[in-house]
Structure formats: structure tokens, C-alpha cells
Amino acid sequence: MQEGKVKFFNQKKNYGFITGDDGNDYFVHSSGISEGIYLKDGDKVSFEIVDGERGSKAEKVEIID
């Protein structure tokens, strides 16, 4: 599992980006967020990195307290 912060997330378009603690940005789509979780800019999150159609993306995103 990787950790990082939500750079931005557009609720209307259902996607955004997470900046990982490794300094890289990862695309995140609402389908990759654990059920019942709503991301806000600046949220601290954990996630898995998977290969997407356009590069690395975040999956199984969960908010860290």
C-alpha cells in the first residue's frame, strides 16, 4: 500500500489525482475508491498502484485518519 494526499477530486466528473508520498501523481476514478468514501482535496489516503490505460492509477483508495 502507498500513501499520499488528494491533490484534487471532482465529484461531478468522478475523477481526480492523488500525490503519493513518493512525489508522483496518480489518477483516481470513483470506481477505484472504496464504497462509501467521498474524497476531498487534501485528504490523507492509502491506495494501491495499478497499471491503467494511460499509466499508473490509484485503486482501493481509503482515507487515513
Side-chain angles (χ1 to χ4, degrees):
M1 288 294 257
Q2 181 82 311
E3 292 186 0
K5 283 190 177 177
V6 177
K7 188 173 189 176
F8 78 88
F9 191 82
N10 186 319
Q11 297 289 349
K12 290 181 183 173
K13 294 185 179 179
N14 292 322
Y15 76 88
F17 285 88
I18 295 171
T19 301
D21 288 347
D22 61 3
N24 294 318
D25 286 344
Y26 299 97
F27 176 80
V28 59
H29 186 267
S30 60
S31 63
I33 302 170
S34 297
E35 193 171 330
I37 293 178
Y38 300 94
L39 297 180
K40 297 184 297 297
D41 297 359
D43 280 347
K44 181 87 172 143
V45 294
S46 67
F47 59 97
E48 290 184 12
I49 300 168
V50 298
D51 289 331
E53 293 176 19
R54 299 180 182 167
S56 299
K57 67 177 187 174
E59 290 280 331
K60 299 184 182 173
V61 179
E62 296 186 3
I63 295 175
I64 301 172
D65 291 332

